[in-house]
Amino acid sequence: MKKKVLIFIISILLILVGFFLYPSFKTAGLKETDSQYLAEVETPAAVVEEPATTEDVQSEEPAADETATEELGATNQDKVIVIDAGHQQKGDLSKEPIGPGASEQKAKVTYGNVGAKTGTPEYQLNLEIALKLQTELEARGYTVIMCRTDNDVNISNSERAAIANEANADAFIRIHCNGYDSSSVHGAMTMCQTPNNPYNGNRYEESRLLSECVLDYLVDETGCKKQNIFEDDSMSGINWSMVPVTIVEVGYLSNPDEEAKLVTDDYQQKIAVGIANGVDAYIAERAETEAQ
């Protein structure tokens, strides 16, 4: 009898010991993934992360290229660029002074050059390029004013400069195509006044810098031959300008190969991008100079 009682008590003790030790044995045998699973299961519902709200999504920073574009637009939005598409459908050979108060006079607007191969008139190409440049500059945030958007106009060179003066333009860009007696001559050049110009010599440094920037970037974008910056005080469109000014001779219509490029949309777009890049560089350098 005593033996049966003892066996019963031992059995009860073994059952109790097994009951308390079993959880430890179970946990000790789990793999790492099992532990992660337990942690996920045991996480209370209250601490489960909520999905991102619309406000959270909107607070994310924009992509780098979008930020750069916005900053460029913000920088340029107070800058005014006036574009003059040189010449017009009908020239006006009546005279006007070459500068404020000058006794010397020149034709108000000459007829311009004509393509040696296609016969395309310069005034038409100038406007096509000018309109592409307008689009390019406006896309970069600039305020753009056009001297003309049609070929059938009559606006003298002094009147075109007056448009830039009244707008207090940061840059006055005059688009032209060149011509020469020899058909072998080709390339791009820019023009501005000399430092001794009696009408606007005080604008020489800015006009020279504008001419340099535009020419360098135009050549870089198009791959055309780089000629030079020609300083001249006989151009009424320059002399009447009281703001930084440059004439851009984008190529020679007297050269058949260059003319063949100039009449295409693709090459005209490259010219527009190159000039716009030059304007960007000029505006940036002027800002840096003024900040010093």
Side-chain angles (χ1 to χ4, degrees):
M1 182 67 180
K2 290 181 179 181
K3 187 177 180 180
K4 290 183 178 181
V5 171
L6 182 61
I7 292 173
F8 176 75
I9 293 172
I10 291 172
S11 299
I12 295 297
L13 290 173
L14 289 174
I15 292 171
L16 290 173
V17 170
F19 177 78
F20 286 111
L21 291 179
Y22 177 73
S24 299
F25 291 138
K26 181 180 179 182
T27 305
L30 289 175
K31 299 178 183 177
E32 182 180 358
T33 52
D34 295 328
S35 299
Q36 292 172 350
Y37 171 75
L38 284 176
E40 290 173 4
V41 171
E42 293 172 3
T43 301
V47 299
V48 175
E49 289 186 6
E50 295 291 334
T53 63
T54 304
E55 184 177 358
D56 293 331
V57 173
Q58 290 176 343
S59 65
E60 292 180 359
E61 293 185 3
D65 55 345
E66 293 177 357
T67 302
T69 302
E70 290 175 0
E71 289 177 353
L72 183 62
T75 301
N76 295 336
Q77 64 185 355
D78 63 339
K79 303 301 181 184
V80 178
I81 311 299
V82 174
I83 303 173
D84 172 33
H87 303 287
Q88 57 197 28
Q89 189 169 323
K90 280 188 177 182
D92 183 351
L93 301 183
S94 60
K95 307 288 186 178
E96 68 179 357
I98 66 168
S103 57
E104 183 181 353
Q105 297 194 340
K106 287 182 67 175
K108 290 182 177 180
V109 190
T110 57
Y111 283 88
N113 295 299
V114 177
K117 187 174 183 179
T118 68
T120 304
E122 180 187 351
Y123 67 79
Q124 177 180 317
L125 291 178
N126 292 342
L127 182 57
E128 290 173 359
I129 295 168
L131 291 172
K132 289 180 176 65
L133 178 58
Q134 176 189 16
T135 300
E136 186 66 30
L137 288 173
E138 287 179 341
R140 301 183 188 204
Y142 292 99
T143 297
V144 178
I145 298 173
M146 303 291 287
C147 288
R148 69 179 182 94
T149 56
D150 191 2
N151 288 318
D152 189 12
V153 297
N154 190 9
I155 311 171
S156 76
N157 286 316
S158 67
E159 290 170 338
R160 296 171 193 231
I163 294 172
N165 295 339
E166 290 170 8
N168 193 26
D170 293 278
F172 181 27
I173 311 292
R174 307 189 63 216
I175 308 295
H176 283 261
C177 295
N178 225 331
Y180 198 67
D181 293 338
S182 172
S183 61
S184 64
V185 178
H186 61 99
M189 65 181 290
T190 52
M191 300 177 66
C192 69
Q193 69 269 54
T194 73
N196 299 317
N197 185 291
Y199 314 107
N200 56 11
N202 62 319
R203 288 294 192 180
Y204 168 75
E205 295 292 341
E206 295 159 292
S207 297
R208 174 76 192 195
L209 176 61
L210 177 61
S211 298
E212 289 174 353
C213 290
V214 166
L215 181 58
D216 285 345
Y217 282 90
L218 170 60
V219 170
D220 182 64
E221 185 67 27
T222 62
C224 71
K225 179 181 178 182
K226 180 179 179 180
Q227 289 196 318
N228 57 8
I229 300 170
F230 184 60
E231 297 181 359
D232 184 56
D233 292 336
S234 68
M235 309 297 291
S236 53
I238 290 177
N239 293 341
W240 282 93
S241 177
M242 300 299 120
V243 297
V245 59
T246 187
I247 294 177
V248 190
E249 299 281 1
V250 299
Y252 282 77
L253 289 179
S254 50
N255 181 292
D257 293 334
E258 195 153 65
E259 180 206 357
K261 295 179 181 179
L262 289 168
V263 298
T264 65
D265 283 337
D266 180 63
Y267 194 75
Q268 289 176 9
Q269 184 60 35
K270 289 181 179 179
I271 291 172
V273 170
I275 294 174
N277 290 343
V279 171
D280 281 344
Y282 168 76
I283 294 296
E285 191 160 341
R286 286 296 304 159
E288 184 178 340
T289 300
E290 291 171 1
Q292 293 175 352

